[in-house]
Amino acid sequence: MFNLNSTKGGTQVSTYGDEAAIPKSHVPDKYRGTSADKADMSALGREQVLRRNFRFISIVGFGCTLIATWEVVLTLLAQGLTDGGTAGLIWGFLIVASGFLLVFLSLAEMASIAPTSGGQYHWVSEFAPPSCQKFLSYITGWLCAMGWQCAIVSITFLAGTIIQGLIILNNENYDSQRWHGTMLVIAITTFSILFNTFLAKKLPFVEVLILILHVVGLFAIIIPLWVLAPRRTAKQVFTEFNNGGGWNSEGTATLVGFSTTITALIGYDCAVHMSEEIKDASETLPKAMITSVVVNAASGFVLLVTVCFTLGDIDDILASPTGYPFIQVFYNATESLPGTNTMTAILVLTLTASSITEVATASRQLWSFARDRGLPFSGFFSYVTPGWNIPFNAVMVSFVVTALLSLINIGSTVALQAIVTLTTSSLMSSYVVTIGCLLHKRLRGEPLPPHRWSLGRFGMAINIGALCFLLPVFVFAFFPLTSTVDKETMNWNVVMYCGIIFIAVTYYIFRGRHYYIPPVALVKREM
């Protein structure tokens, strides 16, 4: 089936005699990109099989609407108010936004070096020491693939349960059941799948429209709060911390409460996984990534400060029967069910739109890793439908995975929450490994491949700063919200995370190391 007969960067790799069995999908010339794109694909040893129909503004929209910073800040308000309070949320947001800016500056430079849908696992394969590049690249690929699959569950679960919260607000006789939320998750995911299949050609245009909704929706929410809601004092907002989790200090509580802002600001590598669908990717992609980070961080901060000034009594909104404090904030401000319903509906729409881009990202990451034989049934996952020029099988697998994971909610909300938080821990660990490998290369004085967007002489300092931020917050991603832990309050993310690492390592030992083709083996660069 294969022969171990080639070596690249010190790593022996599998070359297949059945490559012809992998269907090649013809892409019309107008969708093959610029001469720079063709040169990049040739240097990376890849064939163009997806349409390059994303440009700067559409990929900015892709990043902004997928991460949905101000929307996620609202939905996860309870965590930050419990651990940290308003002061912890605001100052924590500034810290996390600054840290992630360093992280995504580092990733943006690598995206210019190697604009490939593989993203982190490809970069690790190129930049890691030869002795461990294949193994590290493989594990990073698993972390990214699983992280993005779980991300679909995260965003659709938020949208579905917010709808349930609205029903509770409007109908006191409604008997909320967990399976209702699961059905809503599946319905929203189905809608997203339809967009990513039948309307795939229109996805860039749709992303621009969603970006407009994302920006207009922000003002549609903050303006009523500015006009109608009660005010807290600046001293209360900026200086009052909360330790609702019973930690040993307010500082520890604030660090635990970082989970809200981390979730709202993580994941801008989403655009990287669309690299092979972006025109002039090596220059457009890094600029679009950083633009998305800045736009979303600014909008998220404006929303957060607004809500902290207008949320009223914290204990009252945390006890809201809707399950979401922000719905109670809207109702307290407007004193109107129609007004609250309209403001919340905007949030549901933007989160649903976010799920469309989540599916696109997750499916491309899955497809790319399967293309390099990193997963079981890779031939199936890596199939690109002729004429459609999309990884249809990977898109449908993303739907099946989301539907199955959402069923967990019927038995245990705690278990589903662990899967949701798995997204942040998986992605952060992939950032740590990737930036660590790049920094190692810089410290050894090894030249980086030529690239069109560079951090210049600040590169090493930015890489170091990014790691100094990531390492401590990665540890706190596994903390529960309260210091007193039982089976209901335990953060089971650590179990899920270790389980995925165990499965990945086991599969690598017995099968993956024989089949996986590390991307560096295909690279044909002239340094």
Side-chain angles (χ1 to χ4, degrees):
M1 181 178 180
F2 62 93
N3 295 308
L4 295 173
N5 59 4
S6 69
T7 302
K8 181 84 175 201
T11 300
Q12 194 174 44
V13 299
S14 306
T15 55
Y16 290 76
D18 61 347
E19 288 183 356
I22 303 175
K24 306 298 182 184
S25 183
H26 175 70
V27 179
D29 288 341
K30 66 176 181 178
Y31 292 125
R32 298 184 73 87
T34 64
S35 57
D37 291 322
K38 294 171 184 176
D40 286 334
M41 292 297 281
S42 176
L44 297 173
R46 302 296 188 184
E47 181 185 359
Q48 187 69 48
V49 296
L50 306 178
R51 290 188 185 88
R52 289 188 182 271
N53 53 359
F54 278 88
R55 297 175 185 268
F56 176 78
I57 190 64
S58 53
I59 205 64
V60 167
F62 189 95
C64 286
T65 56
L66 186 150
I67 306 306
T69 297
W70 67 261
E71 294 92 336
V72 174
V73 165
L74 272 179
T75 57
L76 301 182
L77 202 58
Q79 298 177 14
L81 289 176
T82 300
D83 290 316
T86 55
L89 274 170
I90 290 175
W91 299 116
F93 188 96
L94 292 174
I95 293 170
V96 172
S98 300
F100 270 132
L101 179 60
L102 299 178
V103 171
F104 293 115
L105 281 169
S106 300
L107 297 188
E109 184 176 42
M110 286 184 272
S112 184
I113 294 172
T116 168
S117 297
Q120 290 95 304
Y121 84 85
H122 176 104
W123 302 332
V124 170
S125 183
E126 275 209 67
F127 302 143
S131 60
C132 58
Q133 63 183 192
K134 185 174 183 179
F135 175 74
L136 285 180
S137 170
Y138 186 82
I139 298 301
T140 303
W142 268 78
L143 287 170
C144 289
M146 295 304 103
W148 280 112
Q149 292 299 320
C150 292
I152 305 175
V153 184
S154 304
I155 209 73
T156 52
F157 177 70
L158 288 175
T161 50
I162 288 171
I163 294 173
Q164 276 190 290
L166 267 187
I167 298 173
I168 292 171
L169 181 69
N170 287 270
N171 182 3
E172 295 180 355
N173 297 321
Y174 170 59
D175 182 19
S176 178
Q177 299 291 328
R178 287 198 292 263
W179 68 268
H180 297 170
T182 295
M183 292 299 102
L184 288 167
V185 167
I186 294 174
I188 293 168
T189 307
T190 301
F191 175 77
S192 303
I193 294 296
L194 293 175
F195 256 95
N196 277 275
T197 50
F198 298 108
L199 297 176
K201 291 182 180 179
K202 302 295 183 182
L203 191 57
F205 175 70
V206 171
E207 292 298 339
V208 175
L209 294 181
I210 297 173
L211 177 61
I212 295 172
L213 174 64
H214 178 68
V215 175
V216 172
L218 171 67
F219 288 97
I221 286 176
I222 61 177
I223 290 175
L225 293 178
W226 287 344
V227 174
L228 301 172
R231 295 287 193 278
R232 305 177 83 235
T233 66
K235 181 178 180 180
Q236 288 176 306
V237 170
F238 291 106
T239 65
E240 289 188 0
F241 292 84
N242 189 41
N243 187 4
W247 298 98
N248 59 356
S249 69
E250 290 180 343
T252 302
T254 300
L255 288 171
V256 173
F258 273 14
S259 59
T260 294
T261 48
I262 288 171
T263 306
L265 288 164
I266 197 171
Y268 288 97
D269 57 298
C270 60
V272 171
H273 305 303
M274 304 298 290
S275 294
E276 294 171 40
E277 296 169 70
I278 301 172
K279 191 170 184 178
D280 204 21
S282 59
E283 185 169 13
T284 300
L285 175 57
K287 293 178 180 178
M289 283 178 66
I290 302 308
T291 301
S292 299
V293 173
V294 173
V295 169
N296 261 16
S299 61
F301 186 70
V302 169
L303 182 281
L304 181 59
V305 172
T306 298
V307 170
C308 287
F309 267 100
T310 59
L311 53 77
D313 183 80
I314 294 179
D315 292 333
D316 175 58
I317 65 168
L318 287 176
S320 173
T322 65
Y324 285 98
F326 76 87
I327 296 180
Q328 195 65 48
V329 172
F330 292 171
Y331 184 71
N332 292 345
T334 62
E335 298 181 347
S336 162
L337 285 176
T340 303
N341 292 341
T342 301
M343 293 171 71
T344 307
I346 293 171
L347 198 67
V348 172
L349 284 175
T350 54
L351 289 175
T352 300
S354 176
S355 71
I356 295 173
T357 49
E358 295 274 10
V359 169
T361 296
S363 60
R364 270 54 169 191
Q365 170 64 41
L366 188 71
W367 162 76
S368 182
F369 196 41
R371 176 175 60 177
D372 291 323
R373 312 280 183 172
L375 295 167
F377 311 109
S378 288
F380 176 80
F381 294 148
S382 62
Y383 182 79
V384 175
T385 307
W388 288 30
N389 299 108
I390 60 172
F392 180 79
N393 290 354
V395 171
M396 296 311 298
V397 167
S398 296
F399 169 73
V400 172
V401 170
T402 302
L404 291 177
L405 291 178
S406 69
L407 294 177
I408 296 173
N409 183 52
I410 298 175
S412 171
T413 303
V414 175
L416 183 62
Q417 291 288 359
I419 292 175
V420 170
T421 56
L422 181 60
T423 300
T424 58
S425 55
S426 296
L427 292 181
M428 277 197 290
S429 53
S430 77
Y431 301 159
V432 169
V433 175
T434 305
I435 297 173
C437 290
L438 179 63
L439 179 60
H440 178 267
K441 194 173 183 70
R442 279 195 156 113
L443 289 172
R444 288 175 61 89
E446 298 175 7
L448 297 179
H451 47 296
R452 302 164 70 191
W453 193 92
S454 172
L455 297 177
R457 65 179 185 273
F458 301 106
M460 183 179 296
I462 289 173
N463 296 159
I464 293 172
L467 288 177
C468 289
F469 162 75
L470 282 171
L471 291 172
V473 297
F474 172 69
V475 173
F476 278 96
F478 297 100
F479 274 52
L481 289 178
T482 61
S483 59
T484 304
V485 178
D486 56 29
K487 66 179 181 180
E488 294 298 323
T489 58
M490 171 68 179
N491 185 351
W492 295 98
N493 174 25
V494 64
V495 178
M496 303 281 188
Y497 181 85
C498 291
I500 285 180
I501 296 294
F502 176 79
I503 292 171
V505 171
T506 302
Y507 187 81
Y508 178 82
I509 292 172
F510 289 101
R511 190 174 176 85
R513 63 193 177 96
H514 302 296
Y515 286 82
Y516 175 55
I517 306 174
V520 70
L522 306 176
V523 171
K524 297 174 289 186
R525 293 189 189 278
E526 292 184 8
M527 297 295 292

